[in-house]
């Protein structure tokens, strides 16, 4: 069982720092899973519940997700004196854009965030990042030290709860509170608020991503020594790196697991190690054996469980230096755990059950296995709708969403052998359908697109550069205008927004013909989904590139949000002067993108982006002019909530007018289509009550006394 230290400070309204105390401590040695589920001390205060998770004894924080969590501080609220926090952090991906903050102190609300711990790559050597601190806002002060990925750093933060400028300080691996090395002091404005919690933050803003990181050994205290030496008055204990959790079959030993130790005063080879098991019946203390592999800082640990035993033990490892200072770290040993295969994320239409999805389970000891499941959003996917099938190692899972519901849910599947439990999870998107939301064949007179069309607007660059020529638009690397069209067939008559929480999946289709090749191996993106206004929320980016293409040819690529280069490139060379059909699928709730080239069905060959995804409210489709895209014409743009709406050949409307009478006709063979109209774009679509009469091979609707503008479309309900 995990142990936590929460000293109570009695008799205080607003706590004062009369003596030092550790007021929060967490080494995250939980079973793998959502932090708010496997822990009793962390709660969600913003974003999608269940996205902050724990694996191998560390908490994962990602710029691709949006949950924010917090844990209360014993004796809170704090309105005078200093608070201190420390943790081990290891980044596996750089922050996007200008960076962002990932941890902070907080009051009981969701707006007052103090001592914001921030990372950035701005003005930093390529491939590295820096860490800094802000009192209250986005203007952080950074430590002038380039940091590497996949490296453990000890971060220490001090916050003066009385507020004021320079209330926040951050150090990397400090030797004392007076250390001036690798230190930064915040300089932005700061108003004091009572501090009650410490919070972890994930960001899905593409212009302010905070990277991908793992965090461990969190301590919060009222004295520097509380968080740097486990309460010791000595300020320079040795360092002990993370040791991952170990999964071992019964009657077998773990491999030699590498880790490292170091100290500022004692030679690394002279540091001593010891271990204590929380469950000696499963793992005796003597079963934890250390080895010094190089005579200095590199060590290994091998764990041998007791014979015939299954279960879990928490191993506490302690490293001690020549000054008798020590540091501890914990990891779990799970003996005889069952196994379960991984899952891919799923999508299914609203009111439609998934197919039976196969997966495998196993147990080295041959124990009887039982399955169970959890859902983070039971209004969309109730647990009762999760049904298992199969037997032995080969199992299936079928998910039936709640009737009429759409949205996203993270489903976790658990397998238990009676001693231990293993799990894996996936996200299921239950998507609604609303058919075509944008359609334009650019059948306008030649001229500036935003002038001859009523649905396209300029949102960036030099207005008037994107032009219509011969019923197509021309976009070029020599221009800078970016244009967008708001969706003209929204899911309701009062909104044009597709919200991430509602599970929408949008498909785009257009034809492209390149006249000039893109420049640079990574090229640049020329089409994407976006929000409204001039914000930076872009997703589903389509790239033109030359990397991997034969001389004189080019290729198309795709990314979820990255600006350049293309995250994944379609493995087919394209010729100049040839028309190609491009289809993309954008999962609004997850920010994930798939691209097809000349598809005949959704099962045709495709590529899927794998870079960081940042869900946002999606409201427009855009084309972009930029230096690396080459020159191309684009035609027949369509956006829909259904793949079949884009790749099937839709009937065309024929419109003729005599005086104030308008006749609209379309092939009578086009069964199932409904004629719709609106007098204003983008809102107000309505169906005709009379869907026309059949005259020969066409259906005809005649309107009398028509004045002003009116727009028409055929739609399959």
């Amino acid at each position: 069982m995990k142990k936590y230290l929460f000293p109570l400070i009695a008799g205080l309204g607003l706590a004062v720092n009369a003596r030092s105390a550790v007021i929060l401590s967490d080494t995250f040695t939980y079973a793998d899973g959502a932090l708010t589920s496997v822990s009793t001390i962390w709660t969600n205060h913003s974003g999608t519940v269940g996205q902050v998770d724990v694996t191998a004894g560390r908490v994962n924080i990602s710029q691709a997700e949006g949950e924010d969590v917090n844990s209360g501080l014993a004796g809170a609220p704090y309105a005078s004196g200093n608070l201190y926090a420390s943790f081990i952090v290891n980044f596996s991906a750089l922050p996007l854009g200008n960076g962002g903050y990932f941890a902070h102190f907080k009051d009981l609300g969701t707006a007052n965030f103090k001592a914001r711990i921030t990372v950035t790559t701005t003005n930093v050597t390529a491939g590295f990042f820096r860490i800094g601190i802000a009192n209250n806002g986005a203007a952080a002060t950074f430590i002038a030290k380039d940091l590497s990925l996949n490296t453990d750093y000890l971060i220490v933060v001090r916050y003066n709860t009385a507020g004021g400028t320079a209330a926040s300080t951050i150090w990397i691996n400090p030797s004392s509170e007076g250390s001036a090395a690798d230190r930064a002091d915040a300089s932005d404005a700061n108003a004091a608020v009572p501090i009650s919690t410490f919070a972890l933050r994930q960001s899905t803003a593409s212009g302010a991503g905070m990277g991908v990181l793992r965090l461990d050994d969190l301590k919060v205290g009222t004295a520097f020594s509380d968080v740097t030496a486990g309460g010791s008055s000595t300020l320079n204990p040795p360092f002990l790196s993370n040791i991952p959790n170990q999964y071992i079959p019964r009657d077998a030993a773990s491999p030699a697991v590498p880790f490292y130790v170091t100290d500022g005063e004692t030679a690394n080879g002279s540091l001593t190690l010891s271990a204590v098991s929380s469950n000696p019946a499963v793992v005796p203390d003597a079963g934890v054996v250390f080895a010094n592999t190089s005579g200095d800082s590199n060590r290994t640990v091998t764990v041998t469980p007791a014979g015939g035993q299954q279960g879990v033990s928490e191993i506490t490892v302690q490293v001690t230096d020549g000054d008798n200072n020590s540091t501890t770290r914990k990891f779990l040993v799970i003996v005889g755990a069952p196994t379960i295969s991984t899952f891919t994320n799923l999508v299914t239409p609203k009111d439609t059950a998934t197919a039976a999805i196969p997966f495998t389970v196993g147990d080295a000891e041959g124990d009887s296995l039982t399955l169970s499941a959890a859902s983070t959003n039971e209004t969309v996917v109730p647990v009762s709708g999760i049904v298992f099938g199969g037997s032995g190692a080969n199992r299936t899972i079928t998910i039936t969403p709640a009737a009429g519901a759409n949205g996203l849910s993270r489903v976790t599947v658990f397998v238990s052998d009676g001693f231990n439990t293993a799990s894996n999870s996936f996200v299921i998107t239950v998507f609604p359908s609303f058919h075509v939301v944008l359609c334009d064949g650019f059948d306008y007179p030649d001229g500036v697109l935003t002038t001859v069309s009523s649905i396209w607007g300029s949102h960036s660059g030099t207005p008037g550069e994107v032009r219509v020529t011969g019923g197509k638009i021309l976009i070029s690397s020599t221009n800078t205008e970016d244009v967008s069209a708001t969706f003209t067939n929204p899911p309701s008559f009062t909104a044009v927004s597709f919200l991430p929480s509602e599970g929408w999946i949008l498909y785009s289709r257009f034809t492209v013909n390149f006249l000039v090749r893109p420049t640079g191996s990574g090229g640049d993106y020329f089409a994407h989904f976006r929000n409204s206004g001039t914000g930076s929320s872009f997703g589903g980016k389509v790239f033109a590139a030359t990397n991997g293409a034969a001389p004189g040819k080019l290729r198309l690529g795709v990314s979820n949000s990255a600006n350049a280069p293309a995250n994944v490139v379609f493995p087919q060379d394209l010729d100049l002067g040839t028309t190609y059909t491009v289809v993309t699928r954008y999962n609004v709730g997850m920010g994930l993108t798939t691209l097809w080239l000349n598809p005949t069905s959704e099962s045709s060959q495709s590529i899927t982006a794998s870079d960081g995804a940042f869900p946002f409210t999606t409201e427009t489709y855009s084309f972009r002019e930029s230096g690396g895209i080459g020159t191309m014409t684009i035609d027949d743009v369509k956006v829909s909530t259904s793949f079949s709406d884009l790749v099937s050949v839709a009937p065309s409307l024929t419109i003729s007018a005599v005086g104030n009478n308008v006749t609209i006709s379309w092939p009578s063979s086009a069964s199932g289509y409904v004629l719709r109209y609106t007098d204003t774009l983008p809102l107000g679509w309505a169906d005709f009550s009379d869907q026309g009469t059949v005259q020969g091979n066409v259906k005809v609707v005649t309107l009398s006394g028509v004045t002003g503008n009116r727009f028409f479309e055929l739609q399959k309900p």
Side-chain angles (χ1 to χ4, degrees):
M1 174 66 69
K2 195 80 180 285
K3 299 180 179 68
Y4 302 96
L5 180 61
F6 294 108
L8 295 179
I9 303 176
L12 295 179
L14 296 180
V16 295
N17 300 335
R19 59 187 179 86
S20 67
V22 176
I23 54 178
L24 171 63
S25 178
D26 199 344
T27 54
F28 301 105
T29 45
Y30 307 111
D32 291 356
L35 178 60
T36 55
S37 297
V38 298
S39 159
T40 60
I41 65 172
W42 290 91
T43 59
N44 169 283
H45 66 265
S46 180
T48 304
V49 176
Q51 288 187 336
V52 175
D53 65 323
V54 174
T55 58
R58 285 192 173 189
V59 63
N60 301 303
I61 304 175
S62 173
Q63 60 195 357
E65 296 178 328
E67 183 180 25
D68 304 333
V69 298
N70 72 88
S71 184
L73 305 178
Y78 289 84
S80 64
N82 291 330
L83 291 178
Y84 299 81
S86 73
F87 50 81
I88 302 295
V89 69
N90 187 307
F91 280 77
S92 59
L94 295 172
L96 290 176
N98 295 322
Y101 62 100
F102 64 89
H104 55 87
F105 288 104
K106 184 177 75 68
D107 62 2
L108 291 176
T110 58
N112 293 311
F113 302 162
K114 305 298 181 180
R116 302 186 189 198
I117 305 167
T118 307
V119 288
T120 189
T121 57
T122 302
N123 300 320
V124 181
T125 304
F128 293 84
F129 66 97
R130 290 187 178 183
I131 194 163
I133 193 81
N135 289 317
N136 186 66
T141 303
F142 293 94
I143 297 173
K145 180 177 184 176
D146 289 355
L147 305 181
S148 302
L149 297 178
N150 303 309
T151 302
D152 281 352
Y153 294 100
L154 172 65
I155 305 300
V156 179
V157 173
R158 178 181 64 200
Y159 180 67
N160 185 335
T161 60
T165 303
S168 305
T169 300
I170 188 169
W171 294 268
I172 303 172
N173 299 330
S175 59
S176 70
E177 189 169 1
S179 175
D182 297 334
R183 165 179 170 160
D185 296 282
S187 59
D188 60 310
N190 181 31
V193 297
I195 299 298
S196 296
T197 69
F198 190 81
L200 304 177
R201 173 184 184 259
Q202 298 188 121
S203 171
T204 57
S206 59
M210 24 61 61
V212 178
L213 59 103
R214 304 190 71 199
L215 189 145
D216 199 5
D217 283 353
L218 171 66
K219 298 184 183 74
V220 179
T222 57
F224 186 87
S225 59
D226 292 334
V227 302
T228 56
S232 168
S233 60
T234 304
L235 300 179
N236 198 14
F239 177 77
L240 173 60
S241 69
N242 181 61
I243 302 173
N245 294 341
Q246 296 298 302
Y247 295 82
I248 307 172
R250 184 182 62 194
D251 297 326
S254 76
V257 180
F259 66 98
Y260 68 93
V261 293
T262 188
D263 186 72
E265 296 77 34
T266 303
N268 292 332
S270 298
L271 298 171
T272 60
L273 291 162
S274 60
V276 175
S277 170
S278 67
N279 190 353
V282 174
V283 178
D285 292 350
V288 184
V289 178
F290 301 103
N292 190 330
T293 61
S294 62
D296 51 27
S297 62
N298 295 308
R299 308 295 179 93
T300 65
V301 59
T302 302
V303 181
T304 303
Q309 298 298 306
Q310 296 186 66
V312 180
S313 180
E314 182 181 71
I315 308 299
T316 301
V317 177
Q318 177 172 289
V319 57
T320 304
D321 63 16
D323 299 320
N324 206 35
N325 301 319
S326 62
T327 298
T328 61
R329 189 177 290 275
K330 300 179 180 182
F331 68 99
L332 294 177
V333 176
I334 302 95
V335 182
T339 60
I340 183 170
S341 61
T342 59
F343 297 88
T344 58
N345 294 329
L346 299 177
V347 296
T348 189
K350 184 171 69 174
D351 295 321
T352 303
T354 68
I357 309 299
F359 66 99
T360 60
V361 295
D363 188 78
E365 295 73 33
D367 297 319
S368 177
L369 300 178
T370 58
L371 295 172
S372 59
S375 170
T376 60
N377 189 353
E378 289 206 61
T379 60
V380 175
V381 177
V383 171
S384 60
I386 303 173
V387 177
F388 297 107
S391 61
N394 298 308
R395 305 297 179 95
T396 63
I397 181 172
T398 303
I399 299 177
T400 302
N406 53 274
L408 293 86
S409 181
R410 179 175 291 276
V411 173
T412 302
V413 179
F414 301 91
V415 57
S416 173
D417 63 359
F419 300 95
N420 298 296
T421 300
S423 65
N424 267 317
S425 64
F426 58 92
V427 175
I428 179 169
T429 302
V430 182
F431 63 92
S433 178
F434 208 76
H435 300 290
V436 176
V437 296
L438 175 65
C439 183
D440 199 344
F442 301 110
D443 296 323
Y444 309 113
D446 289 357
V448 174
L449 174 63
T450 55
T451 299
V452 299
S453 164
S454 62
I455 66 173
W456 293 89
S458 177
H459 68 264
S460 181
T462 304
E465 289 184 335
V466 175
R467 299 183 63 87
V468 176
T469 303
K472 301 176 182 179
I473 61 169
L474 180 71
I475 62 175
S476 173
S477 60
T478 61
N479 297 329
T480 63
E481 185 181 23
D482 304 334
V483 296
S484 59
T486 302
F487 300 137
T488 57
N489 186 11
S492 73
F493 291 159
T494 59
V496 293
S497 302
F498 292 90
L499 304 180
S501 61
E502 294 173 342
W504 292 102
I505 294 180
L506 296 175
Y507 295 84
S508 73
R509 173 199 181 275
F510 56 84
T511 62
V512 62
N513 188 312
F514 283 88
L515 308 177
V516 178
R517 295 173 71 223
T519 56
S521 61
D524 209 342
Y525 66 98
F526 62 91
H528 59 89
F529 289 95
R530 64 183 289 273
N531 59 355
S532 62
T534 58
S536 58
S537 296
F538 299 167
K541 297 179 178 179
V542 181
F543 284 75
T546 57
N547 52 315
K553 299 181 183 296
L554 68 139
R555 290 190 173 186
L556 294 181
V558 68
S559 73
N560 294 317
S561 62
N563 288 338
N567 177 249
V568 178
V569 177
F570 199 91
Q572 178 179 329
D573 287 354
L574 277 62
D575 295 305
L576 297 180
T578 303
T579 299
Y580 299 93
T581 298
V582 180
V583 177
T584 67
R585 178 179 65 206
Y586 184 66
N587 186 320
V588 175
M590 299 185 69
L592 300 178
T593 311
T594 298
L595 179 143
W596 292 262
L597 185 63
N598 293 334
T600 58
S601 70
E602 199 162 357
S603 61
S604 297
Q605 182 182 11
S606 64
I607 56 173
T608 298
S610 58
D611 61 307
F614 302 95
F616 59 89
T617 298
T618 306
E619 297 165 299
T620 72
Y621 197 75
S622 303
F623 291 103
R624 172 179 184 263
E625 295 187 300
S626 181
I629 65 171
T631 301
M632 71 194 80
T633 61
I634 290 176
D635 198 5
D636 294 332
V637 178
K638 189 179 288 187
V639 177
S640 177
T641 60
S642 170
F643 185 94
S644 62
D645 287 339
L646 307 186
V647 296
S648 59
V649 179
S652 59
L653 289 175
T654 300
I655 301 176
S656 60
V658 178
N660 285 339
N661 292 334
V662 175
T663 298
I664 304 167
S665 60
W666 65 96
S668 60
S669 59
S671 61
Y673 283 87
V674 174
L675 183 65
R676 291 158 53 87
Y677 71 94
T678 182
D679 293 328
T680 59
L681 292 176
L683 304 177
W685 288 100
D687 295 344
F688 272 104
S689 58
D690 179 2
Q691 290 302 314
T693 59
V694 176
Q695 298 179 15
N697 294 324
V698 298
K699 278 189 174 182
V700 177
V701 169
T702 300
L703 308 176
S704 300
V706 175
T707 60
N709 295 324
R710 180 160 286 188
F711 305 86
F712 298 90
E713 73 167 11
L714 285 179
Q715 184 201 55
K716 275 191 175 180

